[in-house]
mmCIF file with all atom_site columns, all heavy atoms in Angstrom:
data_model
loop_
_atom_site.group_PDB
_atom_site.id
_atom_site.type_symbol
_atom_site.label_atom_id
_atom_site.label_alt_id
_atom_site.label_comp_id
_atom_site.label_asym_id
_atom_site.label_entity_id
_atom_site.label_seq_id
_atom_site.pdbx_PDB_ins_code
_atom_site.Cartn_x
_atom_site.Cartn_y
_atom_site.Cartn_z
_atom_site.occupancy
_atom_site.B_iso_or_equiv
_atom_site.pdbx_formal_charge
_atom_site.auth_seq_id
_atom_site.auth_comp_id
_atom_site.auth_asym_id
_atom_site.auth_atom_id
_atom_site.pdbx_PDB_model_num
ATOM   1   N N   . ALA K 1 274 ? 0.594  -6.429  -3.980  1.00 0.00 ? 303 ALA K N   1
ATOM   2   C CA  . ALA K 1 274 ? 1.371  -7.188  -4.968  1.00 0.00 ? 303 ALA K CA  1
ATOM   3   C C   . ALA K 1 274 ? 0.572  -7.516  -6.225  1.00 0.00 ? 303 ALA K C   1
ATOM   4   O O   . ALA K 1 274 ? 0.753  -8.561  -6.836  1.00 0.00 ? 303 ALA K O   1
ATOM   5   C CB  . ALA K 1 274 ? 1.977  -8.450  -4.342  1.00 0.00 ? 303 ALA K CB  1
ATOM   6   N N   . CYS K 1 275 ? -0.326 -6.612  -6.611  1.00 0.00 ? 304 CYS K N   1
ATOM   7   C CA  . CYS K 1 275 ? -1.103 -6.804  -7.836  1.00 0.00 ? 304 CYS K CA  1
ATOM   8   C C   . CYS K 1 275 ? -0.933 -5.665  -8.838  1.00 0.00 ? 304 CYS K C   1
ATOM   9   O O   . CYS K 1 275 ? -1.775 -5.497  -9.731  1.00 0.00 ? 304 CYS K O   1
ATOM   10  C CB  . CYS K 1 275 ? -2.575 -6.999  -7.503  1.00 0.00 ? 304 CYS K CB  1
ATOM   11  S SG  . CYS K 1 275 ? -2.881 -8.568  -6.661  1.00 0.00 ? 304 CYS K SG  1
ATOM   12  N N   . GLY K 1 276 ? 0.119  -4.871  -8.700  1.00 0.00 ? 305 GLY K N   1
ATOM   13  C CA  . GLY K 1 276 ? 0.464  -3.975  -9.785  1.00 0.00 ? 305 GLY K CA  1
ATOM   14  C C   . GLY K 1 276 ? 0.289  -2.480  -9.573  1.00 0.00 ? 305 GLY K C   1
ATOM   15  O O   . GLY K 1 276 ? 0.395  -1.728  -10.541 1.00 0.00 ? 305 GLY K O   1
ATOM   16  N N   . LYS K 1 277 ? 0.059  -2.019  -8.336  1.00 0.00 ? 306 LYS K N   1
ATOM   17  C CA  . LYS K 1 277 ? -0.110 -0.577  -8.133  1.00 0.00 ? 306 LYS K CA  1
ATOM   18  C C   . LYS K 1 277 ? 1.169  0.200   -8.443  1.00 0.00 ? 306 LYS K C   1
ATOM   19  O O   . LYS K 1 277 ? 1.158  1.167   -9.206  1.00 0.00 ? 306 LYS K O   1
ATOM   20  C CB  . LYS K 1 277 ? -0.562 -0.262  -6.698  1.00 0.00 ? 306 LYS K CB  1
ATOM   21  C CG  . LYS K 1 277 ? -1.998 -0.633  -6.402  1.00 0.00 ? 306 LYS K CG  1
ATOM   22  C CD  . LYS K 1 277 ? -2.399 -0.264  -4.992  1.00 0.00 ? 306 LYS K CD  1
ATOM   23  C CE  . LYS K 1 277 ? -1.511 -0.889  -3.939  1.00 0.00 ? 306 LYS K CE  1
ATOM   24  N NZ  . LYS K 1 277 ? -1.510 -2.376  -3.940  1.00 0.00 ? 306 LYS K NZ  1
ATOM   25  N N   . THR K 1 278 ? 2.282  -0.211  -7.821  1.00 0.00 ? 307 THR K N   1
ATOM   26  C CA  . THR K 1 278 ? 3.517  0.543   -8.016  1.00 0.00 ? 307 THR K CA  1
ATOM   27  C C   . THR K 1 278 ? 3.905  0.531   -9.488  1.00 0.00 ? 307 THR K C   1
ATOM   28  O O   . THR K 1 278 ? 4.348  1.546   -10.036 1.00 0.00 ? 307 THR K O   1
ATOM   29  C CB  . THR K 1 278 ? 4.642  -0.035  -7.130  1.00 0.00 ? 307 THR K CB  1
ATOM   30  O OG1 . THR K 1 278 ? 4.221  0.051   -5.765  1.00 0.00 ? 307 THR K OG1 1
ATOM   31  C CG2 . THR K 1 278 ? 5.936  0.734   -7.309  1.00 0.00 ? 307 THR K CG2 1
ATOM   32  N N   . ASN K 1 279 ? 3.714  -0.608  -10.139 1.00 0.00 ? 308 ASN K N   1
ATOM   33  C CA  . ASN K 1 279 ? 4.062  -0.683  -11.560 1.00 0.00 ? 308 ASN K CA  1
ATOM   34  C C   . ASN K 1 279 ? 3.203  0.237   -12.414 1.00 0.00 ? 308 ASN K C   1
ATOM   35  O O   . ASN K 1 279 ? 3.720  0.936   -13.291 1.00 0.00 ? 308 ASN K O   1
ATOM   36  C CB  . ASN K 1 279 ? 3.972  -2.121  -12.056 1.00 0.00 ? 308 ASN K CB  1
ATOM   37  C CG  . ASN K 1 279 ? 5.243  -2.886  -11.751 1.00 0.00 ? 308 ASN K CG  1
ATOM   38  O OD1 . ASN K 1 279 ? 6.213  -2.806  -12.492 1.00 0.00 ? 308 ASN K OD1 1
ATOM   39  N ND2 . ASN K 1 279 ? 5.266  -3.580  -10.630 1.00 0.00 ? 308 ASN K ND2 1
ATOM   40  N N   . ASP K 1 298 ? 0.350  3.790   -3.648  1.00 0.00 ? 327 ASP K N   1
ATOM   41  C CA  . ASP K 1 298 ? -0.242 2.840   -2.696  1.00 0.00 ? 327 ASP K CA  1
ATOM   42  C C   . ASP K 1 298 ? -1.476 3.375   -1.989  1.00 0.00 ? 327 ASP K C   1
ATOM   43  O O   . ASP K 1 298 ? -2.404 2.606   -1.734  1.00 0.00 ? 327 ASP K O   1
ATOM   44  C CB  . ASP K 1 298 ? 0.810  2.432   -1.652  1.00 0.00 ? 327 ASP K CB  1
ATOM   45  C CG  . ASP K 1 298 ? 0.473  1.140   -0.920  1.00 0.00 ? 327 ASP K CG  1
ATOM   46  O OD1 . ASP K 1 298 ? 0.084  0.165   -1.589  1.00 0.00 ? 327 ASP K OD1 1
ATOM   47  O OD2 . ASP K 1 298 ? 0.591  1.105   0.313   1.00 0.00 ? 327 ASP K OD2 1
ATOM   48  N N   . PRO K 1 324 ? 10.865 -8.091  -6.548  1.00 0.00 ? 353 PRO K N   1
ATOM   49  C CA  . PRO K 1 324 ? 10.846 -9.009  -7.692  1.00 0.00 ? 353 PRO K CA  1
ATOM   50  C C   . PRO K 1 324 ? 9.866  -8.550  -8.776  1.00 0.00 ? 353 PRO K C   1
ATOM   51  O O   . PRO K 1 324 ? 8.751  -8.120  -8.475  1.00 0.00 ? 353 PRO K O   1
ATOM   52  C CB  . PRO K 1 324 ? 10.402 -10.341 -7.074  1.00 0.00 ? 353 PRO K CB  1
ATOM   53  C CG  . PRO K 1 324 ? 10.810 -10.250 -5.652  1.00 0.00 ? 353 PRO K CG  1
ATOM   54  C CD  . PRO K 1 324 ? 10.620 -8.801  -5.282  1.00 0.00 ? 353 PRO K CD  1
ATOM   55  N N   . ARG K 1 391 ? 11.505 -6.001  -0.653  1.00 0.00 ? 420 ARG K N   1
ATOM   56  C CA  . ARG K 1 391 ? 11.032 -4.641  -0.945  1.00 0.00 ? 420 ARG K CA  1
ATOM   57  C C   . ARG K 1 391 ? 12.176 -3.656  -1.127  1.00 0.00 ? 420 ARG K C   1
ATOM   58  O O   . ARG K 1 391 ? 13.245 -3.803  -0.544  1.00 0.00 ? 420 ARG K O   1
ATOM   59  C CB  . ARG K 1 391 ? 10.170 -4.148  0.217   1.00 0.00 ? 420 ARG K CB  1
ATOM   60  C CG  . ARG K 1 391 ? 8.913  -4.984  0.468   1.00 0.00 ? 420 ARG K CG  1
ATOM   61  C CD  . ARG K 1 391 ? 7.730  -4.454  -0.274  1.00 0.00 ? 420 ARG K CD  1
ATOM   62  N NE  . ARG K 1 391 ? 6.564  -5.341  -0.244  1.00 0.00 ? 420 ARG K NE  1
ATOM   63  C CZ  . ARG K 1 391 ? 5.359  -4.972  -0.680  1.00 0.00 ? 420 ARG K CZ  1
ATOM   64  N NH1 . ARG K 1 391 ? 5.157  -3.765  -1.160  1.00 0.00 ? 420 ARG K NH1 1
ATOM   65  N NH2 . ARG K 1 391 ? 4.360  -5.824  -0.652  1.00 0.00 ? 420 ARG K NH2 1
ATOM   66  N N   . ARG K 1 422 ? -5.956 -9.993  -9.381  1.00 0.00 ? 451 ARG K N   1
ATOM   67  C CA  . ARG K 1 422 ? -5.107 -10.988 -10.039 1.00 0.00 ? 451 ARG K CA  1
ATOM   68  C C   . ARG K 1 422 ? -5.959 -12.226 -10.239 1.00 0.00 ? 451 ARG K C   1
ATOM   69  O O   . ARG K 1 422 ? -6.190 -12.985 -9.304  1.00 0.00 ? 451 ARG K O   1
ATOM   70  C CB  . ARG K 1 422 ? -3.921 -11.256 -9.106  1.00 0.00 ? 451 ARG K CB  1
ATOM   71  C CG  . ARG K 1 422 ? -2.873 -12.218 -9.584  1.00 0.00 ? 451 ARG K CG  1
ATOM   72  C CD  . ARG K 1 422 ? -1.837 -12.429 -8.474  1.00 0.00 ? 451 ARG K CD  1
ATOM   73  N NE  . ARG K 1 422 ? -0.910 -11.327 -8.354  1.00 0.00 ? 451 ARG K NE  1
ATOM   74  C CZ  . ARG K 1 422 ? 0.258  -11.229 -8.998  1.00 0.00 ? 451 ARG K CZ  1
ATOM   75  N NH1 . ARG K 1 422 ? 0.656  -12.202 -9.796  1.00 0.00 ? 451 ARG K NH1 1
ATOM   76  N NH2 . ARG K 1 422 ? 1.033  -10.194 -8.831  1.00 0.00 ? 451 ARG K NH2 1
ATOM   77  N N   . PHE K 1 504 ? -3.784 -10.016 -15.280 1.00 0.00 ? 533 PHE K N   1
ATOM   78  C CA  . PHE K 1 504 ? -3.199 -11.332 -14.977 1.00 0.00 ? 533 PHE K CA  1
ATOM   79  C C   . PHE K 1 504 ? -3.970 -12.504 -15.581 1.00 0.00 ? 533 PHE K C   1
ATOM   80  O O   . PHE K 1 504 ? -3.760 -13.647 -15.228 1.00 0.00 ? 533 PHE K O   1
ATOM   81  C CB  . PHE K 1 504 ? -3.092 -11.499 -13.450 1.00 0.00 ? 533 PHE K CB  1
ATOM   82  C CG  . PHE K 1 504 ? -2.226 -10.438 -12.800 1.00 0.00 ? 533 PHE K CG  1
ATOM   83  C CD1 . PHE K 1 504 ? -2.777 -9.262  -12.314 1.00 0.00 ? 533 PHE K CD1 1
ATOM   84  C CD2 . PHE K 1 504 ? -0.852 -10.603 -12.722 1.00 0.00 ? 533 PHE K CD2 1
ATOM   85  C CE1 . PHE K 1 504 ? -1.987 -8.284  -11.730 1.00 0.00 ? 533 PHE K CE1 1
ATOM   86  C CE2 . PHE K 1 504 ? -0.043 -9.632  -12.138 1.00 0.00 ? 533 PHE K CE2 1
ATOM   87  C CZ  . PHE K 1 504 ? -0.615 -8.464  -11.646 1.00 0.00 ? 533 PHE K CZ  1
ATOM   88  N N   . GLY K 1 516 ? 0.905  -6.519  -20.479 1.00 0.00 ? 545 GLY K N   1
ATOM   89  C CA  . GLY K 1 516 ? 0.972  -5.800  -19.195 1.00 0.00 ? 545 GLY K CA  1
ATOM   90  C C   . GLY K 1 516 ? 2.016  -4.706  -19.149 1.00 0.00 ? 545 GLY K C   1
ATOM   91  O O   . GLY K 1 516 ? 2.510  -4.240  -20.189 1.00 0.00 ? 545 GLY K O   1
ATOM   92  N N   . PHE K 1 517 ? 2.352  -4.276  -17.940 1.00 0.00 ? 546 PHE K N   1
ATOM   93  C CA  . PHE K 1 517 ? 3.358  -3.237  -17.675 1.00 0.00 ? 546 PHE K CA  1
ATOM   94  C C   . PHE K 1 517 ? 3.129  -2.016  -18.574 1.00 0.00 ? 546 PHE K C   1
ATOM   95  O O   . PHE K 1 517 ? 2.015  -1.505  -18.616 1.00 0.00 ? 546 PHE K O   1
ATOM   96  C CB  . PHE K 1 517 ? 4.758  -3.837  -17.778 1.00 0.00 ? 546 PHE K CB  1
ATOM   97  C CG  . PHE K 1 517 ? 4.982  -4.950  -16.775 1.00 0.00 ? 546 PHE K CG  1
ATOM   98  C CD1 . PHE K 1 517 ? 4.961  -6.293  -17.160 1.00 0.00 ? 546 PHE K CD1 1
ATOM   99  C CD2 . PHE K 1 517 ? 5.158  -4.666  -15.428 1.00 0.00 ? 546 PHE K CD2 1
ATOM   100 C CE1 . PHE K 1 517 ? 5.140  -7.313  -16.218 1.00 0.00 ? 546 PHE K CE1 1
ATOM   101 C CE2 . PHE K 1 517 ? 5.331  -5.677  -14.472 1.00 0.00 ? 546 PHE K CE2 1
ATOM   102 C CZ  . PHE K 1 517 ? 5.332  -6.998  -14.883 1.00 0.00 ? 546 PHE K CZ  1
ATOM   103 N N   . ASN K 1 520 ? 0.066  -1.483  -20.548 1.00 0.00 ? 549 ASN K N   1
ATOM   104 C CA  . ASN K 1 520 ? -1.206 -1.128  -19.905 1.00 0.00 ? 549 ASN K CA  1
ATOM   105 C C   . ASN K 1 520 ? -1.639 0.297   -20.288 1.00 0.00 ? 549 ASN K C   1
ATOM   106 O O   . ASN K 1 520 ? -2.801 0.667   -20.118 1.00 0.00 ? 549 ASN K O   1
ATOM   107 C CB  . ASN K 1 520 ? -1.104 -1.280  -18.386 1.00 0.00 ? 549 ASN K CB  1
ATOM   108 C CG  . ASN K 1 520 ? -0.947 -2.747  -17.975 1.00 0.00 ? 549 ASN K CG  1
ATOM   109 O OD1 . ASN K 1 520 ? -1.402 -3.644  -18.698 1.00 0.00 ? 549 ASN K OD1 1
ATOM   110 N ND2 . ASN K 1 520 ? -0.298 -2.997  -16.851 1.00 0.00 ? 549 ASN K ND2 1
HETATM 111 N N1  . GTP U 2 .   ? 1.969  -9.920  -15.731 1.00 0.00 ? 30  GTP U N1  1
HETATM 112 C C1  . GTP U 2 .   ? 1.975  -8.743  -15.149 1.00 0.00 ? 30  GTP U C1  1
HETATM 113 N N2  . GTP U 2 .   ? 2.551  -8.624  -13.922 1.00 0.00 ? 30  GTP U N2  1
HETATM 114 C C2  . GTP U 2 .   ? 2.534  -7.415  -13.335 1.00 0.00 ? 30  GTP U C2  1
HETATM 115 C C3  . GTP U 2 .   ? 1.943  -6.274  -13.970 1.00 0.00 ? 30  GTP U C3  1
HETATM 116 N N3  . GTP U 2 .   ? 2.085  -5.218  -13.130 1.00 0.00 ? 30  GTP U N3  1
HETATM 117 C C4  . GTP U 2 .   ? 2.721  -5.687  -12.019 1.00 0.00 ? 30  GTP U C4  1
HETATM 118 N N4  . GTP U 2 .   ? 3.011  -7.009  -12.144 1.00 0.00 ? 30  GTP U N4  1
HETATM 119 C C5  . GTP U 2 .   ? 3.739  -7.851  -11.170 1.00 0.00 ? 30  GTP U C5  1
HETATM 120 O O1  . GTP U 2 .   ? 3.007  -7.902  -9.964  1.00 0.00 ? 30  GTP U O1  1
HETATM 121 C C6  . GTP U 2 .   ? 3.886  -7.863  -8.832  1.00 0.00 ? 30  GTP U C6  1
HETATM 122 C C7  . GTP U 2 .   ? 3.463  -6.774  -7.901  1.00 0.00 ? 30  GTP U C7  1
HETATM 123 O O2  . GTP U 2 .   ? 3.461  -5.541  -8.560  1.00 0.00 ? 30  GTP U O2  1
HETATM 124 P P1  . GTP U 2 .   ? 3.459  -4.156  -7.759  1.00 0.00 ? 30  GTP U P1  1
HETATM 125 O O3  . GTP U 2 .   ? 3.281  -3.065  -8.746  1.00 0.00 ? 30  GTP U O3  1
HETATM 126 O O4  . GTP U 2 .   ? 4.654  -4.078  -6.909  1.00 0.00 ? 30  GTP U O4  1
HETATM 127 O O5  . GTP U 2 .   ? 2.173  -4.355  -6.810  1.00 0.00 ? 30  GTP U O5  1
HETATM 128 P P2  . GTP U 2 .   ? 1.555  -3.385  -5.706  1.00 0.00 ? 30  GTP U P2  1
HETATM 129 O O6  . GTP U 2 .   ? 0.085  -3.410  -5.925  1.00 0.00 ? 30  GTP U O6  1
HETATM 130 O O7  . GTP U 2 .   ? 2.224  -2.070  -5.720  1.00 0.00 ? 30  GTP U O7  1
HETATM 131 O O8  . GTP U 2 .   ? 1.894  -4.160  -4.358  1.00 0.00 ? 30  GTP U O8  1
HETATM 132 P P3  . GTP U 2 .   ? 1.955  -3.600  -2.826  1.00 0.00 ? 30  GTP U P3  1
HETATM 133 O O9  . GTP U 2 .   ? 3.073  -2.637  -2.763  1.00 0.00 ? 30  GTP U O9  1
HETATM 134 O O10 . GTP U 2 .   ? 2.180  -4.844  -2.026  1.00 0.00 ? 30  GTP U O10 1
HETATM 135 O O11 . GTP U 2 .   ? 0.636  -2.996  -2.466  1.00 0.00 ? 30  GTP U O11 1
HETATM 136 C C8  . GTP U 2 .   ? 5.287  -7.682  -9.375  1.00 0.00 ? 30  GTP U C8  1
HETATM 137 O O12 . GTP U 2 .   ? 5.928  -8.926  -9.350  1.00 0.00 ? 30  GTP U O12 1
HETATM 138 C C9  . GTP U 2 .   ? 5.076  -7.228  -10.772 1.00 0.00 ? 30  GTP U C9  1
HETATM 139 O O13 . GTP U 2 .   ? 6.106  -7.623  -11.610 1.00 0.00 ? 30  GTP U O13 1
HETATM 140 C C10 . GTP U 2 .   ? 1.362  -6.432  -15.268 1.00 0.00 ? 30  GTP U C10 1
HETATM 141 O O14 . GTP U 2 .   ? 0.842  -5.502  -15.887 1.00 0.00 ? 30  GTP U O14 1
HETATM 142 N N5  . GTP U 2 .   ? 1.401  -7.682  -15.806 1.00 0.00 ? 30  GTP U N5  1
#
Side-chain angles (χ1 to χ4, degrees):
C304 291
K306 287 182 303 299
T307 301
N308 276 277
D327 199 46
R420 298 268 170 170
R451 182 184 283 269
F533 300 92
F546 299 104
N549 293 333

